[in-house]
Amino acid sequence: MVRTKALVIAVATILAVGSAGVWFLISEKQEAQERRAKFFGSSKEYPTSGGEKMKVEW
């Protein structure tokens, strides 16, 4: 009985730590993408041609 409780607690702890780690990695990856887009300029703002930004003419 004691061994079963210890096993259940260990499995629950591993799952909790694993899910927290996955959540952290996903949020960190999203932050990195946002920083990269801000630094290099978002490709959504301007149409591109040949990999270079086109100047917007009004």
Side-chain angles (χ1 to χ4, degrees), residues 42-56:
S42 178
S43 61
K44 295 176 186 174
E45 292 179 17
Y46 307 102
T48 58
S49 175
E52 297 179 9
K53 283 187 179 179
M54 292 173 54
K55 292 183 180 176
V56 178

Side-chain angles (χ1 to χ4, degrees), residues 9-31:
I9 290 172
V11 169
T13 303
I14 290 171
L15 288 175
V17 170
S19 62
V22 168
W23 176 80
F24 177 75
L25 288 176
I26 289 173
S27 64
E28 192 62 30
K29 186 176 180 180
Q30 188 174 3
E31 275 290 318

